[in-house]
Amino acid sequence: MNDQMFIKAACAEARAGLQEGGIPIGSVLVRHGQIIARGRNQRIQQDSPILHGEMHCLANAGRQTSYRDCVIYSTLMPCYMCAGTIVQFGIPRVIVGESRNFSGASDFMRSHAIELIDLDDPECYQLMADFIKAHPQLWNEDIARD
Amino acid sequence: MNDQMFIKAACAEARAGLQEGGIPIGSVLVRHGQIIARGRNQRIQQDSPILHGEMHCLANAGRQTSYRDCVIYSTLMPCYMCAGTIVQFGIPRVIVGESRNFSGASDFMRSHAIELIDLDDPECYQLMADFIKAHPQLWNEDIARD
């Protein structure tokens, strides 16, 4: 699988979240070309402010001794919570579907020598743009924009 | 209650975690002088790499529209995951029990204008120092030091 295929897997998580009534942001964690965990934003589903897509994915991966050989994919640029987690866990490579809806903590990750690739994927972009337009308050709550 | 009392409440969480076989780091979230959530590291108990004490506390607080009137207390200086979360959530004030066992992401939080107070509490220090000495591998796993 290549980056486009893994982002499609993350996007499938985002769509599953939307079907559940949740915020459509998805993530997969990949090691040696294999998906080892999947996740999607759980704010609505689990009443949790910390389970962004990336965090849910990392929680689902369980305990790991190292993340040095992992790549994390997210449909949207990570916020400071998710970026801080990526920095702390030592995940060296981050591939995002898009950053037009949210520029997140890209500079922070790059300043910590994380390789960050933005695919600017039209499907990821449209899914999130539609959600933000329909549910601006939920989106603002999710990124604590008050 | 004052800062010392709230740190004692966080320390009680840390001790409860130790009793459960967990990593002894605890946290409380305070609004207007009242504890609104408590948490403790859940790596062992819930097989979760993301539930550091601060994250468990914020998860237990549930969805909030704003954190601008909140203070978070932690027995130990927050790592980048927890600090990134504090920055993203807009928590303006962080009080830690100690930072001698782990200097964490203090500079990062200060660079985001977070008020950070280190009480250098002997009880918090000794609890964590004893744990790190007894379980160095678990501690290294918790901060992803590989």
Side-chain angles (χ1 to χ4, degrees):
Chain A
M1 298 231 284
N2 60 20
D3 289 342
Q4 286 290 348
M5 298 288 285
F6 289 128
I7 274 294
K8 282 211 177 300
C11 200
E13 286 294 311
R15 287 193 187 283
L18 191 65
Q19 287 292 320
E20 294 164 349
I23 300 173
I25 305 170
S27 175
V28 298
L29 186 66
V30 171
R31 175 177 282 142
H32 303 152
Q34 300 286 331
I35 293 176
I36 62 168
R38 299 166 194 260
R40 50 187 183 253
N41 189 297
Q42 297 289 316
R43 174 172 295 271
I44 312 297
Q45 298 94 317
Q46 293 194 42
D47 186 33
S48 174
I50 72 162
L51 290 176
H52 283 191
E54 302 90 324
M55 303 299 284
H56 188 227
C57 177
L58 290 166
N60 288 339
R63 289 169 56 184
Q64 303 284 329
T65 49
S66 173
Y67 297 86
R68 296 282 166 200
D69 51 2
C70 290
V71 183
I72 192 163
Y73 291 75
S74 176
T75 55
L76 185 63
M77 184 64 79
C79 76
Y80 272 109
M81 171 171 66
C82 300
T85 305
I86 288 163
V87 167
Q88 186 66 43
F89 285 17
I91 300 172
R93 196 160 186 251
V94 178
I95 318 253
V96 304
E98 60 111 359
S99 62
R100 280 190 281 155
N101 284 303
F102 181 60
S103 60
S106 52
D107 291 346
F108 167 71
M109 285 186 282
R110 288 202 174 97
S111 77
H112 282 270
I114 288 167
E115 184 188 6
L116 179 57
I117 295 167
D118 182 350
L119 299 177
D120 198 24
D121 178 82
E123 185 187 354
C124 290
Y125 169 75
Q126 200 58 52
L127 184 63
M128 198 61 204
D130 291 347
F131 181 84
I132 292 171
K133 194 173 174 188
H135 305 284
Q137 279 187 312
L138 259 180
W139 169 235
N140 285 339
E141 183 192 311
D142 198 51
I143 53 171
R145 183 190 283 153
D146 58 350
Chain B
M1 297 232 285
N2 59 22
D3 289 343
Q4 287 290 349
M5 297 288 285
F6 290 129
I7 275 293
K8 281 210 177 300
C11 200
E13 287 294 312
R15 287 193 187 282
L18 191 66
Q19 287 291 319
E20 294 164 349
I23 300 173
I25 305 171
S27 175
V28 299
L29 186 66
V30 171
R31 175 178 282 142
H32 303 152
Q34 300 287 331
I35 293 176
I36 62 169
R38 300 165 195 261
R40 51 186 183 253
N41 189 296
Q42 297 289 318
R43 173 172 296 271
I44 311 298
Q45 298 94 317
Q46 293 194 43
D47 187 34
S48 174
I50 71 163
L51 289 176
H52 282 190
E54 302 90 324
M55 303 299 285
H56 187 229
C57 177
L58 290 165
N60 288 340
R63 289 168 56 185
Q64 303 284 331
T65 50
S66 173
Y67 297 86
R68 296 282 168 200
D69 51 2
C70 290
V71 183
I72 193 163
Y73 292 75
S74 177
T75 54
L76 185 63
M77 184 65 79
C79 76
Y80 271 109
M81 171 171 67
C82 300
T85 305
I86 288 162
V87 166
Q88 187 65 42
F89 286 17
I91 301 172
R93 196 160 186 251
V94 178
I95 317 250
V96 304
E98 59 110 358
S99 62
R100 279 190 281 154
N101 285 303
F102 181 60
S103 60
S106 53
D107 291 346
F108 166 71
M109 285 186 281
R110 288 202 174 96
S111 77
H112 283 269
I114 288 167
E115 184 188 4
L116 180 57
I117 294 167
D118 182 349
L119 300 177
D120 196 24
D121 179 82
E123 185 186 352
C124 290
Y125 169 76
Q126 200 59 51
L127 185 62
M128 197 61 202
D130 290 347
F131 182 83
I132 292 171
K133 193 172 174 189
H135 305 282
Q137 278 186 313
L138 260 179
W139 169 236
N140 285 339
E141 183 192 310
D142 199 51
I143 53 171
R145 183 191 283 152
D146 59 348

